[in-house]
Amino acid sequence: MTLKRLCRSTLENISHVARNTYVLTFRSHFLSHGVSAGQFLEIKVPQCSDILWRRPFSIHNIDPENDLVHVLFHAIGRGTTVLSMLEIGEGVEILGPLGNHFHYDEHLEEAIVVAGGLGIAPFMLMKRELRQRDIKMQLFYGVNSSDHFCALDQFADYATLHLSTDDGSRGYHGVVTDMLIPYLENLSENASKSLFVCGPTPMLRTVQTIAQQYNIAAQVSVETIMACGFGACVGCAVPMKHPVPGKKEYYLACKDGPVFHMHEIVFDD
Ligand SMILES: Cc1cc2nc3c(=O)[nH]c(=O)nc-3n(C[C@H](O)[C@H](O)[C@H](O)COP(=O)(O)OP(=O)(O)OC[C@H]3O[C@@H](n4cnc5c(N)ncnc54)[C@H](O)[C@@H]3O)c2cc1C
Ligand code: FES
């Protein structure tokens, strides 16, 4: 397990990459080394004394040669709006790396990645890891409208893309999971493959059903609302499937996850 640390870092770059969506680039030797896809960081929102809790973000990518770490985020509320207005050179306090990460079976030949919206965030680092291991990457990526797509050129240099939009402005017109079934139908029985999933809850629920139907292993990164990020506040409970009907048990997304075997989780609304 990687030790977490509170790091003072500086913002090296900020870029607007899609509608309301930004990439922050920080310089940190510690955070750009020895981290894995699925792990996350908690970033303190600067100059906002009333926003107490740091905000959690997946590690989007790293550039260890230059000590850089990238976070991709959607400006959705107060904290993320402030982060979208950071200026290059500004100091930022980051806690990380936090949580566990995706695992690759040693015989894995093909990673079938399913991302909905900002659920794409952890998969750039995964692309780097898959390339290093020579594992093929199929990327099923759905968004509301084409101006929400992020980093398609960067993914396309390694992954095979299967794109969808809810409004039909690019790729398949409909939800991303519609494209998954025909793909799985035509897969060779012998290929060693696994699903890797991140996105909104309705999408996760559908992929869980599909994974069960096709008997294919699936790992999911959940984005439950969090506070402390390291198991102290019990604010990020995720219901787990329990063999005894009516009995409830919970994982903590920050400490036990955020990556889980998909069949272990109950996806509540
Ligand atoms: C492990 C993990 C990894 C994440 N990775 C990313 C990422 O890479 N990129 C990214 O853009 N976002 C990511 N998120 C979600 C991100 O943390 C929230 O969008 C962010 O904290 C919102 O902060 P805010 O102050 O702007 O919103 P607030 O003002 O606090 O809330 C605004 C709205 O956002 C909703 N919201 C708050 N937290 C979350 C959450 N965790 N998930 C979904 N909606 C939320 C609130 O319910 C509310 O409707 C991740 C969350 C977790 C737990
Ligand atoms: S966020 Fe505090 S226990 Fe998970």
Side-chain angles (χ1 to χ4, degrees):
M1 198 178 91
T2 331
L3 286 178
K4 64 177 179 293
R5 201 190 271 179
L6 191 57
C7 304
R8 287 286 309 166
S9 177
T10 44
L11 184 70
E12 286 293 316
N13 196 29
I14 174 164
S15 40
H16 181 238
V17 293
R19 196 203 295 184
N20 249 357
T21 310
Y22 301 82
V23 172
L24 297 180
T25 302
F26 300 101
R27 187 171 294 281
S28 167
H29 178 81
F30 179 70
L31 294 173
S32 59
H33 287 76
V35 294
S36 302
Q39 288 190 292
F40 66 101
L41 308 171
E42 284 221 324
I43 302 179
K44 173 113 183 83
V45 180
Q47 296 143 17
C48 290
S49 50
D50 57 326
I51 301 186
L52 296 179
W53 296 108
R54 298 179 190 91
R55 297 302 195 236
F57 301 98
S58 302
I59 300 174
H60 178 53
N61 205 0
I62 51 170
D63 175 358
E65 290 75 24
N66 295 300
D67 288 347
L68 299 176
V69 57
H70 305 279
V71 164
L72 171 78
F73 73 98
H74 199 183
I76 192 177
R78 273 194 66 213
T80 46
T81 300
V82 172
L83 291 176
S84 73
M85 295 187 296
L86 283 178
E87 299 209 347
I88 292 173
E90 237 177 286
V92 183
E93 197 185 273
I94 306 174
L95 182 67
L98 297 163
N100 65 357
H101 54 83
F102 291 104
H103 284 277
Y104 312 113
D105 185 274
E106 65 170 313
H107 302 297
L108 185 66
E109 293 167 36
E110 180 169 296
I112 304 168
V113 172
V114 189
L118 255 288
I120 194 69
F123 295 124
M124 190 63 78
L125 182 51
M126 175 175 283
K127 183 194 85 167
R128 184 185 166 87
E129 295 172 350
L130 295 174
R131 195 201 287 265
Q132 283 163 352
R133 291 167 173 78
D134 205 19
I135 299 170
K136 284 188 227 148
M137 181 178 193
Q138 300 288 337
L139 177 61
F140 290 80
Y141 178 18
V143 294
N144 292 335
S145 187
S146 60
D147 57 355
H148 287 282
F149 279 124
C150 304
L152 291 184
D153 291 349
Q154 284 165 272
F155 280 110
D157 75 6
Y158 188 68
T160 304
L161 304 188
H162 308 259
L163 305 178
S164 72
T165 48
D166 296 347
D167 66 1
S169 50
R170 183 159 179 189
Y172 172 77
H173 186 175
V175 293
V176 67
T177 44
D178 287 352
M179 293 187 294
L180 193 57
I181 294 175
Y183 183 77
L184 295 178
E185 287 284 351
N186 291 319
L187 259 191
S188 141
E189 279 287 314
N190 300 325
S192 167
K193 67 260 175 192
S194 242
L195 287 164
F196 299 89
V197 192
C198 186
T201 305
M203 186 197 93
L204 302 184
R205 218 180 276 129
T206 306
V207 179
Q208 188 180 46
T209 307
I210 294 172
Q212 197 174 7
Q213 192 179 337
Y214 287 85
N215 192 25
I216 178 165
Q219 293 170 47
V220 58
S221 174
V222 300
E223 294 195 343
T224 318
I225 291 180
M226 286 184 186
C228 73
F230 50 83
C233 72
V234 200
C236 62
V238 178
M240 58 194 268
K241 286 203 175 144
H242 200 283
V244 180
K247 191 152 186 214
K248 290 209 163 176
E249 281 192 41
Y250 296 87
Y251 288 117
L252 291 181
C254 66
K255 193 160 86 47
D256 305 316
V259 177
F260 296 95
H261 293 293
M262 206 153 198
H263 65 265
E264 295 179 309
I265 302 296
V266 178
F267 295 110
D268 281 344
D269 288 318

